[in-house]
Amino acid sequence: LYYAFLPSLLGVLPLCFVTQGLVDMQSELVEEVGLPTMVGEWSLRVPFAGPVASQFGRLAPEQKRTLLADFGRRQAEAIARMPSSLGGFFWTWNAPPAEMQWGYEHALEQGWLTTDIWPGHDQEAVRPATESQAVGQPVPAPASAA
């Protein structure tokens, strides 16, 4: 499952629909179809143009933090509660400072996401096992048993 904000829709979608209604619609559609579904490349990025961007830009810092935390929680809950869900993966581990809403590590640091939003969460499972994994370097295959 993947959705993107078409430029023609950015002029008509309110911020509350993007961060609430769209998440609910996604979950309902997946449940209705009933097929195994992987939610790919989800993030906390709100549209960067149009009225949604203007509405988000006018929020106070604490309001932005609350909105992003709620947006993340709603998405994680929607992914976890779908009976046919195979899970999902966040856009990227580490994003550039200008695009913080794309990065899971930054979302954790800012408190927008917490590891306990996932059922049966494991604190260590959401972090790269090694520094080389965090920067996209190949990870050596485990040694075969002799």
Side-chain angles (χ1 to χ4, degrees):
L1 176 65
Y2 185 89
Y3 60 82
F5 301 108
L6 301 174
S8 60
L9 293 176
L10 292 178
V12 296
L13 295 177
L15 183 59
C16 64
F17 178 74
V18 170
T19 60
Q20 296 173 9
L22 195 58
V23 174
D24 294 338
M25 285 177 60
Q26 166 190 301
S27 182
E28 290 168 14
L29 284 169
V30 170
E31 286 180 28
E32 186 66 30
V33 172
L35 296 174
T37 304
M38 171 68 74
V39 178
E41 299 182 343
W42 68 283
S43 75
L44 301 181
R45 183 66 166 112
V46 296
F48 51 86
V52 173
S54 297
Q55 292 169 0
F56 186 75
R58 288 192 302 267
L59 296 176
E62 183 58 27
Q63 290 174 307
K64 288 179 182 178
R65 192 201 70 72
T66 299
L67 181 135
L68 292 171
D70 185 56
F71 187 32
R73 180 190 53 76
R74 292 176 69 84
Q75 290 184 83
E77 287 175 355
I79 293 167
R81 80 169 169 254
M82 295 183 291
S84 59
S85 176
L86 300 175
F89 57 93
F90 204 80
W91 186 269
T92 187
W93 173 254
N94 189 351
E99 295 291 343
M100 294 183 281
Q101 296 166 0
W102 294 110
Y104 194 78
E105 180 180 38
H106 193 75
L108 290 172
E109 289 170 355
Q110 294 299 309
W112 302 335
L113 292 175
T114 59
T115 58
D116 63 353
I117 60 176
W118 299 103
H121 74 282
D122 178 352
Q123 180 74 20
E124 295 305 311
V126 299
R127 300 205 176 273
T130 66
E131 183 63 27
S132 64
Q133 287 175 310
V135 296
Q137 298 299 315
V139 177
S144 60

